Amino acid sequence: MSHTVLLSGPPGCGKTTWILSQIQSYRGPSGYLRVTGYPDEGLAQARDGGLDLAYLRDQCPDLLDLGDLDQALAPHPADLLALIELPQFHPPAQPGLAGVDRRVMPQLQALHLNPDRHLHFGRDPELPRQDTLDFSHLQAWSLNLNATVWDPDSLSSFWFELVNGAYGDVYRAKALMNLPDGRAFFCNWMVSQEGSQFLPLQTLAPPDGRPERLSRLVVQGRDLDPAAIEATVRDCLLSDAVLELQQAPLRQRHTPPTRSA
């Protein structure tokens, strides 16, 4: 029997982390959908751009993308666990399914998804509460970084500056970042945490030019300076020439020796 859970909560409360734990502990097929949340007075929703889905599918390659129309129209497996993530700033006025934001239902119905359970961070006791913050004002900004590769030392310096107020009061930051050796990291920070998470992706890109996978930076906070963030980011990215200088030795190291005649 399939089971569809709608999980809502404010930025950085742990929705994606909780969803990952459910997928990893479930023995049957799983699917995921992130629904775009709705802004509130003075509170802007972030443009995820597929960031959470990309990370979850790296960790769980068989995960179904429930936002894919072809998969939505195809029959779902009988024992599918469908997990829907909805950014939502304030707790629902009513418990359970009665508290689901009615604005989201047409999108779910178009994808043949009908939640049979609704959990909200900060309301339901089975969910963690330590990162559930009440925001009174929140800006959101994101930057598409597809096909970019970071200088590793510059990435560390930039991230430290970002979360420590160099570009405004950042409350939430997450990103997927590519490195020249083919690795990528899911970078995650919340103001209520003691430090940042730098979680390596399982999939490696060949050290042969720019990777094709999604790369993106998402920032939420107050008094943000997007122009300064973007300018610093551009200074931290590798040019084609420098990228080739760093990748060429890596390719030679993995090239099998040629037999002599």
Side-chain angles (χ1 to χ4, degrees), residues 227-251:
I229 299 174
E230 189 164 1
T232 303
V233 167
R234 297 303 175 193
D235 288 340
C236 297
L237 302 178
L238 297 181
S239 67
D240 288 342
V242 174
L243 179 60
E244 173 59 20
L245 284 174
Q246 296 196 22
Q247 288 184 336
L250 297 174
R251 292 196 301 271

PDB file of all heavy atoms in Angstrom, residues 227-251:
ATOM      1  N   ALA A 227      25.103  41.540  -4.992  1.00  0.00           N
ATOM      2  CA  ALA A 227      26.157  41.927  -5.928  1.00  0.00           C
ATOM      3  C   ALA A 227      27.532  41.561  -5.377  1.00  0.00           C
ATOM      4  O   ALA A 227      28.403  41.073  -6.107  1.00  0.00           O
ATOM      5  CB  ALA A 227      26.072  43.422  -6.215  1.00  0.00           C
ATOM      6  N   ALA A 228      27.743  41.780  -4.084  1.00  0.00           N
ATOM      7  CA  ALA A 228      29.030  41.443  -3.478  1.00  0.00           C
ATOM      8  C   ALA A 228      29.224  39.933  -3.413  1.00  0.00           C
ATOM      9  O   ALA A 228      30.329  39.430  -3.636  1.00  0.00           O
ATOM     10  CB  ALA A 228      29.122  42.050  -2.079  1.00  0.00           C
ATOM     11  N   ILE A 229      28.161  39.199  -3.132  1.00  0.00           N
ATOM     12  CA  ILE A 229      28.266  37.732  -3.106  1.00  0.00           C
ATOM     13  C   ILE A 229      28.668  37.219  -4.481  1.00  0.00           C
ATOM     14  O   ILE A 229      29.609  36.429  -4.624  1.00  0.00           O
ATOM     15  CB  ILE A 229      26.936  37.087  -2.671  1.00  0.00           C
ATOM     16  CG1 ILE A 229      26.540  37.515  -1.262  1.00  0.00           C
ATOM     17  CG2 ILE A 229      27.049  35.560  -2.739  1.00  0.00           C
ATOM     18  CD1 ILE A 229      25.163  37.020  -0.839  1.00  0.00           C
ATOM     19  N   GLU A 230      27.961  37.686  -5.506  1.00  0.00           N
ATOM     20  CA  GLU A 230      28.233  37.198  -6.854  1.00  0.00           C
ATOM     21  C   GLU A 230      29.632  37.579  -7.318  1.00  0.00           C
ATOM     22  O   GLU A 230      30.325  36.772  -7.966  1.00  0.00           O
ATOM     23  CB  GLU A 230      27.181  37.726  -7.825  1.00  0.00           C
ATOM     24  CG  GLU A 230      27.271  37.103  -9.198  1.00  0.00           C
ATOM     25  CD  GLU A 230      26.024  37.316 -10.027  1.00  0.00           C
ATOM     26  OE1 GLU A 230      25.076  37.983  -9.546  1.00  0.00           O
ATOM     27  OE2 GLU A 230      25.990  36.811 -11.169  1.00  0.00           O
ATOM     28  N   ALA A 231      30.076  38.786  -6.997  1.00  0.00           N
ATOM     29  CA  ALA A 231      31.418  39.210  -7.399  1.00  0.00           C
ATOM     30  C   ALA A 231      32.487  38.329  -6.749  1.00  0.00           C
ATOM     31  O   ALA A 231      33.461  37.932  -7.398  1.00  0.00           O
ATOM     32  CB  ALA A 231      31.633  40.670  -7.032  1.00  0.00           C
ATOM     33  N   THR A 232      32.302  38.017  -5.471  1.00  0.00           N
ATOM     34  CA  THR A 232      33.268  37.161  -4.783  1.00  0.00           C
ATOM     35  C   THR A 232      33.250  35.759  -5.345  1.00  0.00           C
ATOM     36  O   THR A 232      34.302  35.139  -5.537  1.00  0.00           O
ATOM     37  CB  THR A 232      32.966  37.132  -3.273  1.00  0.00           C
ATOM     38  OG1 THR A 232      32.978  38.461  -2.762  1.00  0.00           O
ATOM     39  CG2 THR A 232      34.002  36.307  -2.535  1.00  0.00           C
ATOM     40  N   VAL A 233      32.053  35.253  -5.620  1.00  0.00           N
ATOM     41  CA  VAL A 233      31.942  33.908  -6.198  1.00  0.00           C
ATOM     42  C   VAL A 233      32.709  33.837  -7.509  1.00  0.00           C
ATOM     43  O   VAL A 233      33.469  32.885  -7.758  1.00  0.00           O
ATOM     44  CB  VAL A 233      30.464  33.530  -6.401  1.00  0.00           C
ATOM     45  CG1 VAL A 233      30.339  32.287  -7.289  1.00  0.00           C
ATOM     46  CG2 VAL A 233      29.783  33.286  -5.058  1.00  0.00           C
ATOM     47  N   ARG A 234      32.547  34.823  -8.368  1.00  0.00           N
ATOM     48  CA  ARG A 234      33.213  34.792  -9.672  1.00  0.00           C
ATOM     49  C   ARG A 234      34.731  34.761  -9.509  1.00  0.00           C
ATOM     50  O   ARG A 234      35.433  34.133 -10.303  1.00  0.00           O
ATOM     51  CB  ARG A 234      32.795  36.010 -10.507  1.00  0.00           C
ATOM     52  CG  ARG A 234      31.305  36.057 -10.831  1.00  0.00           C
ATOM     53  CD  ARG A 234      30.826  34.814 -11.567  1.00  0.00           C
ATOM     54  NE  ARG A 234      29.376  34.812 -11.760  1.00  0.00           N
ATOM     55  CZ  ARG A 234      28.682  33.755 -12.148  1.00  0.00           C
ATOM     56  NH1 ARG A 234      29.302  32.607 -12.377  1.00  0.00           N
ATOM     57  NH2 ARG A 234      27.377  33.830 -12.299  1.00  0.00           N
ATOM     58  N   ASP A 235      35.232  35.433  -8.479  1.00  0.00           N
ATOM     59  CA  ASP A 235      36.676  35.425  -8.234  1.00  0.00           C
ATOM     60  C   ASP A 235      37.177  34.071  -7.740  1.00  0.00           C
ATOM     61  O   ASP A 235      38.378  33.797  -7.802  1.00  0.00           O
ATOM     62  CB  ASP A 235      37.041  36.502  -7.195  1.00  0.00           C
ATOM     63  CG  ASP A 235      36.927  37.909  -7.759  1.00  0.00           C
ATOM     64  OD1 ASP A 235      36.942  38.061  -8.999  1.00  0.00           O
ATOM     65  OD2 ASP A 235      36.809  38.850  -6.952  1.00  0.00           O
ATOM     66  N   CYS A 236      36.273  33.253  -7.224  1.00  0.00           N
ATOM     67  CA  CYS A 236      36.651  31.956  -6.653  1.00  0.00           C
ATOM     68  C   CYS A 236      36.569  30.805  -7.665  1.00  0.00           C
ATOM     69  O   CYS A 236      37.007  29.686  -7.354  1.00  0.00           O
ATOM     70  CB  CYS A 236      35.750  31.616  -5.468  1.00  0.00           C
ATOM     71  SG  CYS A 236      35.868  32.737  -4.068  1.00  0.00           S
ATOM     72  N   LEU A 237      36.023  31.067  -8.840  1.00  0.00           N
ATOM     73  CA  LEU A 237      35.808  30.003  -9.821  1.00  0.00           C
ATOM     74  C   LEU A 237      37.008  29.887 -10.757  1.00  0.00           C
ATOM     75  O   LEU A 237      37.664  30.878 -11.084  1.00  0.00           O
ATOM     76  CB  LEU A 237      34.541  30.289 -10.630  1.00  0.00           C
ATOM     77  CG  LEU A 237      33.251  30.421  -9.800  1.00  0.00           C
ATOM     78  CD1 LEU A 237      32.069  30.752 -10.707  1.00  0.00           C
ATOM     79  CD2 LEU A 237      32.975  29.146  -9.008  1.00  0.00           C
ATOM     80  N   LEU A 238      37.267  28.672 -11.199  1.00  0.00           N
ATOM     81  CA  LEU A 238      38.437  28.407 -12.036  1.00  0.00           C
ATOM     82  C   LEU A 238      38.136  28.707 -13.505  1.00  0.00           C
ATOM     83  O   LEU A 238      37.083  28.336 -14.026  1.00  0.00           O
ATOM     84  CB  LEU A 238      38.861  26.947 -11.898  1.00  0.00           C
ATOM     85  CG  LEU A 238      39.306  26.496 -10.498  1.00  0.00           C
ATOM     86  CD1 LEU A 238      39.723  25.032 -10.530  1.00  0.00           C
ATOM     87  CD2 LEU A 238      40.438  27.370  -9.973  1.00  0.00           C
ATOM     88  N   SER A 239      39.081  29.342 -14.161  1.00  0.00           N
ATOM     89  CA  SER A 239      38.991  29.542 -15.608  1.00  0.00           C
ATOM     90  C   SER A 239      39.261  28.227 -16.323  1.00  0.00           C
ATOM     91  O   SER A 239      39.754  27.256 -15.729  1.00  0.00           O
ATOM     92  CB  SER A 239      40.004  30.595 -16.049  1.00  0.00           C
ATOM     93  OG  SER A 239      41.332  30.098 -15.863  1.00  0.00           O
ATOM     94  N   ASP A 240      38.975  28.181 -17.606  1.00  0.00           N
ATOM     95  CA  ASP A 240      39.228  26.960 -18.383  1.00  0.00           C
ATOM     96  C   ASP A 240      40.703  26.577 -18.331  1.00  0.00           C
ATOM     97  O   ASP A 240      41.040  25.386 -18.185  1.00  0.00           O
ATOM     98  CB  ASP A 240      38.800  27.168 -19.841  1.00  0.00           C
ATOM     99  CG  ASP A 240      37.293  27.215 -20.006  1.00  0.00           C
ATOM    100  OD1 ASP A 240      36.579  26.748 -19.090  1.00  0.00           O
ATOM    101  OD2 ASP A 240      36.821  27.721 -21.046  1.00  0.00           O
ATOM    102  N   ALA A 241      41.592  27.569 -18.451  1.00  0.00           N
ATOM    103  CA  ALA A 241      43.024  27.277 -18.482  1.00  0.00           C
ATOM    104  C   ALA A 241      43.509  26.708 -17.148  1.00  0.00           C
ATOM    105  O   ALA A 241      44.244  25.716 -17.104  1.00  0.00           O
ATOM    106  CB  ALA A 241      43.807  28.545 -18.835  1.00  0.00           C
ATOM    107  N   VAL A 242      43.090  27.321 -16.046  1.00  0.00           N
ATOM    108  CA  VAL A 242      43.519  26.848 -14.730  1.00  0.00           C
ATOM    109  C   VAL A 242      42.896  25.485 -14.424  1.00  0.00           C
ATOM    110  O   VAL A 242      43.548  24.604 -13.858  1.00  0.00           O
ATOM    111  CB  VAL A 242      43.160  27.875 -13.645  1.00  0.00           C
ATOM    112  CG1 VAL A 242      43.477  27.332 -12.261  1.00  0.00           C
ATOM    113  CG2 VAL A 242      43.901  29.186 -13.883  1.00  0.00           C
ATOM    114  N   LEU A 243      41.655  25.303 -14.822  1.00  0.00           N
ATOM    115  CA  LEU A 243      41.003  24.007 -14.612  1.00  0.00           C
ATOM    116  C   LEU A 243      41.753  22.907 -15.340  1.00  0.00           C
ATOM    117  O   LEU A 243      41.975  21.813 -14.798  1.00  0.00           O
ATOM    118  CB  LEU A 243      39.551  24.078 -15.088  1.00  0.00           C
ATOM    119  CG  LEU A 243      38.731  22.794 -14.960  1.00  0.00           C
ATOM    120  CD1 LEU A 243      38.638  22.346 -13.505  1.00  0.00           C
ATOM    121  CD2 LEU A 243      37.337  22.994 -15.544  1.00  0.00           C
ATOM    122  N   GLU A 244      42.167  23.169 -16.575  1.00  0.00           N
ATOM    123  CA  GLU A 244      42.913  22.162 -17.334  1.00  0.00           C
ATOM    124  C   GLU A 244      44.265  21.870 -16.685  1.00  0.00           C
ATOM    125  O   GLU A 244      44.690  20.704 -16.623  1.00  0.00           O
ATOM    126  CB  GLU A 244      43.104  22.635 -18.772  1.00  0.00           C
ATOM    127  CG  GLU A 244      43.999  21.752 -19.630  1.00  0.00           C
ATOM    128  CD  GLU A 244      43.493  20.319 -19.761  1.00  0.00           C
ATOM    129  OE1 GLU A 244      42.294  20.070 -19.517  1.00  0.00           O
ATOM    130  OE2 GLU A 244      44.308  19.437 -20.110  1.00  0.00           O
ATOM    131  N   LEU A 245      44.922  22.875 -16.155  1.00  0.00           N
ATOM    132  CA  LEU A 245      46.198  22.655 -15.481  1.00  0.00           C
ATOM    133  C   LEU A 245      46.034  21.739 -14.267  1.00  0.00           C
ATOM    134  O   LEU A 245      46.913  20.923 -13.972  1.00  0.00           O
ATOM    135  CB  LEU A 245      46.795  23.992 -15.033  1.00  0.00           C
ATOM    136  CG  LEU A 245      47.439  24.860 -16.115  1.00  0.00           C
ATOM    137  CD1 LEU A 245      47.847  26.213 -15.525  1.00  0.00           C
ATOM    138  CD2 LEU A 245      48.661  24.154 -16.701  1.00  0.00           C
ATOM    139  N   GLN A 246      44.912  21.849 -13.576  1.00  0.00           N
ATOM    140  CA  GLN A 246      44.695  21.023 -12.397  1.00  0.00           C
ATOM    141  C   GLN A 246      44.182  19.634 -12.743  1.00  0.00           C
ATOM    142  O   GLN A 246      44.453  18.672 -12.028  1.00  0.00           O
ATOM    143  CB  GLN A 246      43.715  21.732 -11.445  1.00  0.00           C
ATOM    144  CG  GLN A 246      44.247  23.039 -10.891  1.00  0.00           C
ATOM    145  CD  GLN A 246      43.464  23.527  -9.697  1.00  0.00           C
ATOM    146  OE1 GLN A 246      42.793  22.765  -9.019  1.00  0.00           O
ATOM    147  NE2 GLN A 246      43.548  24.823  -9.430  1.00  0.00           N
ATOM    148  N   GLN A 247      43.447  19.516 -13.843  1.00  0.00           N
ATOM    149  CA  GLN A 247      42.855  18.220 -14.178  1.00  0.00           C
ATOM    150  C   GLN A 247      43.788  17.324 -14.996  1.00  0.00           C
ATOM    151  O   GLN A 247      43.692  16.094 -14.903  1.00  0.00           O
ATOM    152  CB  GLN A 247      41.543  18.423 -14.938  1.00  0.00           C
ATOM    153  CG  GLN A 247      40.413  18.945 -14.072  1.00  0.00           C
ATOM    154  CD  GLN A 247      39.104  19.032 -14.838  1.00  0.00           C
ATOM    155  OE1 GLN A 247      39.079  19.128 -16.068  1.00  0.00           O
ATOM    156  NE2 GLN A 247      37.998  19.016 -14.105  1.00  0.00           N
ATOM    157  N   ALA A 248      44.680  17.907 -15.785  1.00  0.00           N
ATOM    158  CA  ALA A 248      45.550  17.095 -16.646  1.00  0.00           C
ATOM    159  C   ALA A 248      46.353  16.063 -15.858  1.00  0.00           C
ATOM    160  O   ALA A 248      46.401  14.882 -16.246  1.00  0.00           O
ATOM    161  CB  ALA A 248      46.470  18.008 -17.459  1.00  0.00           C
ATOM    162  N   PRO A 249      47.002  16.410 -14.730  1.00  0.00           N
ATOM    163  CA  PRO A 249      47.727  15.392 -13.962  1.00  0.00           C
ATOM    164  C   PRO A 249      46.815  14.302 -13.410  1.00  0.00           C
ATOM    165  O   PRO A 249      47.230  13.146 -13.288  1.00  0.00           O
ATOM    166  CB  PRO A 249      48.375  16.193 -12.826  1.00  0.00           C
ATOM    167  CG  PRO A 249      48.411  17.606 -13.310  1.00  0.00           C
ATOM    168  CD  PRO A 249      47.199  17.761 -14.158  1.00  0.00           C
ATOM    169  N   LEU A 250      45.572  14.669 -13.092  1.00  0.00           N
ATOM    170  CA  LEU A 250      44.631  13.668 -12.574  1.00  0.00           C
ATOM    171  C   LEU A 250      44.267  12.655 -13.651  1.00  0.00           C
ATOM    172  O   LEU A 250      44.159  11.457 -13.386  1.00  0.00           O
ATOM    173  CB  LEU A 250      43.364  14.363 -12.056  1.00  0.00           C
ATOM    174  CG  LEU A 250      43.560  15.325 -10.881  1.00  0.00           C
ATOM    175  CD1 LEU A 250      42.259  16.062 -10.572  1.00  0.00           C
ATOM    176  CD2 LEU A 250      44.042  14.567  -9.653  1.00  0.00           C
ATOM    177  N   ARG A 251      44.098  13.123 -14.881  1.00  0.00           N
ATOM    178  CA  ARG A 251      43.784  12.203 -15.980  1.00  0.00           C
ATOM    179  C   ARG A 251      44.968  11.290 -16.269  1.00  0.00           C
ATOM    180  O   ARG A 251      44.799  10.084 -16.512  1.00  0.00           O
ATOM    181  CB  ARG A 251      43.405  12.995 -17.238  1.00  0.00           C
ATOM    182  CG  ARG A 251      42.080  13.739 -17.118  1.00  0.00           C
ATOM    183  CD  ARG A 251      41.584  14.161 -18.488  1.00  0.00           C
ATOM    184  NE  ARG A 251      42.530  15.021 -19.180  1.00  0.00           N
ATOM    185  CZ  ARG A 251      42.542  16.346 -19.077  1.00  0.00           C
ATOM    186  NH1 ARG A 251      41.682  16.961 -18.267  1.00  0.00           N
ATOM    187  NH2 ARG A 251      43.415  17.061 -19.756  1.00  0.00           N
TER     188      ARG A 251
END
